[in-house]
Amino acid sequence: MKTTAKLQALLQSGQTLLDLRTLGALLGVKPASARVLATRLVKQGMLERVRQGLYLYIGASVFPFDIANAILQPSYVSFESALNRWGVIAQVPATVTSAADRSRRFVVRGTEFLYRR
């Protein structure tokens, strides 16, 4: 199957965030082949690498909380981000803050994702 046909199959799946296991399952390839295919799609400008083993469609609109939950697992959106989302506080945080088992920081598409222990 050609790369463009594979990308069409991915777009029809409705998933915007893909890990290598999901990518391989959707395309019917082994994980090693999925890694190579993902690298090629990144070079062609069709996918964006979020972190190792996690990819996002270029141009896809994804809710930041979905990205936050996918980047580092186990984690959950919390603190100021959740309070603002549900209207408890009026301040709009510049960062998506999550609780996790370790503290980390990532920047994806200009949005900072902060994980606090």
Side-chain angles (χ1 to χ4, degrees), residues 36-67:
V36 171
L37 181 61
T39 303
R40 288 180 184 161
L41 291 172
V42 167
K43 287 180 182 177
Q44 292 174 6
M46 297 178 187
L47 289 180
E48 176 183 353
R49 184 178 181 265
V50 175
R51 66 180 291 268
Q52 182 178 353
L54 184 64
Y55 299 90
L56 180 63
Y57 291 124
I58 296 290
S61 81
V62 181
F63 191 60
F65 289 7
D66 293 334
I67 296 173

Side-chain angles (χ1 to χ4, degrees), residues 17-87:
L17 280 164
L18 300 163
D19 60 3
L20 291 175
R21 181 181 301 166
T22 305
L23 183 67
L26 288 172
L27 301 177
V29 296
K30 296 179 182 177
S33 300
R35 182 179 304 278
V36 171
L37 181 61
T39 303
R40 288 180 184 161
L41 291 172
V42 167
K43 287 180 182 177
Q44 292 174 6
M46 297 178 187
L47 289 180
E48 176 183 353
R49 184 178 181 265
V50 175
R51 66 180 291 268
Q52 182 178 353
L54 184 64
Y55 299 90
L56 180 63
Y57 291 124
I58 296 290
S61 81
V62 181
F63 191 60
F65 289 7
D66 293 334
I67 296 173
N69 289 335
I71 290 176
L72 187 63
Q73 295 176 356
S75 69
Y76 59 92
V77 176
S78 186
F79 309 112
E80 302 89 8
S81 300
L83 291 173
N84 174 263
R85 171 75 172 110
W86 298 108

